[in-house]
Amino acid sequence: INAILILKQLISNPRGQSTIVDTLISSEGVIEGLVKLIKEPICASSTKSSLLIIYHMITSTINTPSKPNIIVQKFVDMGLVTLVLDMLVDVDKSTCEKLLGVLDSMCRCDLGRIAVYNNSLTVPIVVKKILRVSDLATEFSVSILWRLCENACRANGGVIVEALHVGAFQKLLLILLVGWNVNERSTDTVTKLLQVLNVHRSKFGCMASSAC
């Protein structure tokens, strides 16, 4: 527990973060150990710390050629996407925010986004978390949904239609109506999502209005 807490403190500091990440990536068994601490938790603190470390490992290398894909591929191969989504079904607020953060970070590269995209639990769970947990959880959920819809490639609307069927349109509209306290960038994302969903809404309908 102490070791994982120290790692969390080190990697959370922007100064020297890239060096810490490089060391973690090159150290045998680190990625496996992080996933194991989530799958077989010692305590809530170690689980949350592991999620934060994974988040920083991915986001800090996202603009580095080849690195993010290598890291994300390892996490995908270890079943992290399914593990995260299963945990999101019933979890406390703090852990939920960190789980969504990890999911959002994985969606920033093609390999991770495809893995998230291909899990049937993703859209229903992510939409359900909008406006139900916290502002941060909503922000991550909106970001995940946008990354998936922006890169949608399934036939017949795919993820966009899935989002409509579980009430995404109503929830996103509610965000704008109630003046959700987020930054301008996130508000723009909500607006773009509504525009994309509205194109398909008239064609496929907007079911599950009770999802809000």
Side-chain angles (χ1 to χ4, degrees), residues 1 4-5 8 42-51 98:
I1 294 173
I4 204 71
L5 290 176
K8 183 195 75 172
I42 299 173
C43 64
S45 181
S46 64
T47 301
K48 294 174 184 178
S49 295
S50 297
L51 289 167
K98 293 170 179 61

Side-chain angles (χ1 to χ4, degrees), residues 60-103:
S60 67
T61 59
I62 208 67
N63 294 320
T64 306
S66 77
K67 272 189 182 179
N69 280 346
I70 292 172
I71 298 171
V72 171
Q73 184 66 69
K74 289 183 178 179
F75 284 126
V76 168
D77 291 343
M78 295 196 70
L80 184 63
V81 172
T82 300
L83 179 60
V84 165
L85 287 167
D86 287 344
M87 290 177 67
L88 275 169
V89 173
D90 183 21
V91 73
D92 64 87
K93 183 183 84 169
S94 178
T95 306
C96 179
E97 291 171 346
K98 293 170 179 61
L99 288 165
L100 289 168
V102 167
L103 213 59

